[in-house]
């Protein structure tokens, strides 16, 4: 099984002590977001975990732990760094701070285990196309030697995005074309592979790849693994990633990004954070008497046993 640390919330940025405790104890509980009384228990031992996928906007809290994690598990890290400032991403480090942290991460685990995520791309009168391309080139110049690729996507225009960002300008096809041409030109200038997220092959004419954010090929090349052939695990249109399970919870991220799909409101996330106990086996609060716990069915996707040593 592949474990995702960062799909529902930024665990690395705000819950690293809890995550380290879970890895040490070798198990974690996750509450079903649609049926809150139902919990799933995941075995986090190396025998049950094929790989751990991280996604965060700030890896500073976990840097000192990454050598041990990297030695115990196959890992892959998505590091999100965008061009936005505090008016859009209030609690996220600055561009230069993020670049510095990513370089430290790269020194620890190597560039082949890191993808830089430049997403979502959205437009306002302040963050126009020229602004995006200028900042993208600045960051590409700084990061291309420290990452294996850059992954981008255009913002999903959910109703709450309009509500939280009335200043947002809906992307037209002409806007997308101009951005695609510009991003592709810059990435080729610095010889940095560029790929889209959850779209078909329509960007191929701009020499932009679409193969999924977490595919067997990515994990095989970055960690020396060999995976079985299997059906793709996610129902999202255009997504070709391997199946994975997320151990986070919605409405718990404190980044306060205006375009966020995982939080209803920042106030809810703050209240849930107040219930967080780093010693608890579940991210928010504790196990209750009327909770129903089921053990997850965990199957390996690997062709052969290629386990790394246990350091925790």
């Amino acid at each position: 099984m592949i474990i995702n640390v960062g799909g529902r919330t930024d665990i690395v940025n705000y819950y690293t002590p809890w995550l380290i405790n879970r890895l040490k104890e070798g198990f974690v509980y996750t509450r079903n977001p649609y049926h809150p009384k139902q919990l799933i228990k995941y075995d986090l031992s190396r025998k049950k975990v094929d790989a751990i996928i991280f996604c965060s906007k700030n890896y500073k809290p976990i840097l000192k732990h990454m050598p041990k994690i990297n030695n115990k598990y196959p890992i892959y890290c998505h590091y999100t760094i965008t061009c936005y400032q505090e008016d859009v991403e209030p609690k996220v480090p600055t561009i230069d701070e993020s670049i510095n942290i990513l370089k430290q991460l790269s020194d620890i685990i190597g560039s082949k285990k890191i993808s830089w995520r430049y997403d979502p791309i959205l437009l306002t009168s302040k963050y126009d196309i020229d602004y995006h391309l200028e900042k993208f080139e600045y960051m590409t110049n700084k990061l291309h030697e420290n990452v294996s690729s850059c992954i981008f996507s255009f913002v999903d225009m959910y109703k709450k995005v309009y509500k939280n960002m009335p200043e947002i300008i809906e992307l037209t096809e002409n806007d997308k074309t101009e951005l695609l041409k510009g991003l592709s030109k810059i990435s080729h200038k610095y010889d940095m592979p560029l790929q889209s997220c959850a779209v078909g092959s329509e960007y191929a004419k701009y020499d932009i790849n679409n193969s999924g954010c977490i595919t067997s090929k990515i994990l095989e090349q970055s960690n020396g693994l060999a995976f079985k052939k299997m059906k793709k695990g996610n129902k999202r249109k255009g997504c070709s990633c391997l199946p994975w399970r997320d151990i986070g919870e919605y409405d718990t991220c404190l980044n306060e990004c205006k375009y966020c799909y995982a939080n209803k409101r920042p106030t809810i996330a703050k209240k849930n954070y107040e219930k967080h106990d780093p010693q608890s086996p579940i991210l928010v609060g504790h196990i209750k008497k009327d909770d129903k716990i089921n053990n997850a069915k965990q199957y390996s996707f690997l062709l052969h046993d290629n386990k790394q040593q246990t350091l925790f």
Side-chain angles (χ1 to χ4, degrees):
M1 176 175 283
I2 295 172
I3 296 295
N4 189 317
V5 180
R8 295 173 178 169
T9 188
D10 197 336
I11 289 177
V12 168
N13 196 2
Y14 298 106
Y15 303 100
T16 280
W18 174 83
L19 175 62
I20 298 305
N21 286 335
R22 293 299 89 232
L23 295 176
K24 286 180 178 178
E25 293 192 37
F27 69 94
V28 65
Y29 293 100
T30 300
R31 198 172 293 279
N32 187 318
Y34 306 105
H35 304 282
K37 290 297 180 182
Q38 295 182 14
L39 276 66
I40 301 176
K41 181 180 180 180
Y42 292 107
D43 184 337
L44 297 180
S45 67
R46 182 61 189 90
K47 292 181 179 180
K48 293 293 185 178
V49 176
D50 292 334
I52 297 179
I53 310 304
F54 294 90
C55 188
S56 177
K57 294 182 178 179
N58 182 12
Y59 278 78
K60 186 175 181 179
I62 205 170
L63 285 178
K64 66 180 181 181
H65 303 288
M66 288 307 289
K68 284 188 175 181
I69 296 173
N70 188 40
N71 282 330
K72 181 177 181 181
Y73 299 96
I75 65 171
Y76 199 84
C77 297
H78 291 269
Y79 203 132
T80 302
I81 309 176
T82 68
C83 67
Y84 310 118
Q85 299 174 11
E86 291 182 357
D87 57 326
V88 177
E89 297 177 341
K91 305 298 183 182
V92 177
T94 66
I95 290 174
D96 288 327
E97 288 173 330
S98 297
I99 288 172
N100 180 53
I101 297 168
L102 186 149
K103 288 185 174 183
Q104 292 179 60
L105 178 65
S106 182
D107 287 341
I108 295 170
I109 67 174
S111 62
K112 66 181 181 180
K113 293 186 178 183
I114 305 174
S115 280
W116 163 35
R117 297 193 69 105
Y118 186 79
D119 67 345
I121 296 175
L122 58 85
L123 295 182
T124 68
S125 58
K126 176 179 179 179
Y127 302 107
D128 59 15
I129 292 173
D130 289 339
Y131 185 94
H132 273 285
L133 296 180
E134 177 188 347
K135 293 299 183 182
F136 184 77
E137 176 152 20
Y138 175 81
M139 287 185 268
T140 302
N141 181 36
K142 299 281 188 180
L143 293 173
H144 69 280
E145 294 181 348
N146 303 105
V147 299
S148 64
S149 66
C150 177
I151 301 169
F152 75 95
S153 68
F154 295 116
V155 67
D156 289 320
M157 298 302 294
Y158 299 116
K159 288 183 179 179
K160 59 183 173 182
V161 173
Y162 283 111
K163 181 179 179 181
N164 294 332
M165 292 191 69
E167 70 272 26
I168 199 167
I169 300 171
E170 189 165 356
L171 284 151
T172 66
E173 289 305 312
N174 287 336
D175 292 333
K176 291 182 180 181
T177 297
E178 189 174 349
L179 282 161
L180 291 168
K181 289 179 177 178
L183 296 174
S184 178
K185 182 179 179 180
I186 292 167
S187 64
H188 279 81
K189 177 180 177 180
Y190 294 94
D191 194 27
M192 180 185 67
L194 180 67
Q195 73 175 64
S196 56
C197 178
V199 298
S201 59
E202 58 262 38
Y203 296 166
K205 59 185 176 182
Y206 305 106
D207 204 13
I208 295 173
N209 186 36
N210 180 62
S211 62
C213 306
I214 291 299
T215 63
S216 56
K217 183 178 180 181
I218 289 173
L219 290 178
E220 286 171 349
Q221 292 181 344
S222 60
N223 287 273
L225 303 174
F227 283 88
K228 304 171 185 175
K229 290 184 179 181
M230 67 189 80
K231 294 181 179 180
K232 305 309 176 186
N234 301 294
K235 295 181 180 179
R236 185 182 178 190
K237 183 180 179 181
C239 182
S240 57
C241 292
L242 291 171
W244 44 261
R245 294 293 180 268
D246 198 311
I247 62 171
E249 290 192 33
Y250 295 117
D251 289 311
T252 58
C253 184
L254 303 182
N255 285 332
E256 298 185 17
C257 302
K258 285 189 175 181
Y259 52 77
C260 180
Y261 69 90
N263 279 358
K264 294 184 183 72
R265 292 186 301 276
T267 52
I268 297 176
K270 289 176 182 177
K271 287 181 179 179
N272 283 330
Y273 183 76
E274 291 173 358
K275 302 174 187 176
H276 172 69
D277 178 359
Q279 303 301 321
S280 174
I282 195 166
L283 189 65
V284 176
H286 297 84
I287 307 300
K288 301 175 182 177
K289 290 183 178 180
D290 57 345
D291 284 334
K292 182 179 179 181
I293 300 174
N294 296 305
N295 291 321
K297 296 179 180 179
Q298 296 179 242
Y299 305 102
S300 176
F301 305 144
L302 297 176
L303 277 174
H304 54 79
D305 189 11
N306 187 14
K307 309 300 184 185
Q308 293 173 286
Q309 62 179 338
T310 300
L311 294 184
F312 284 107

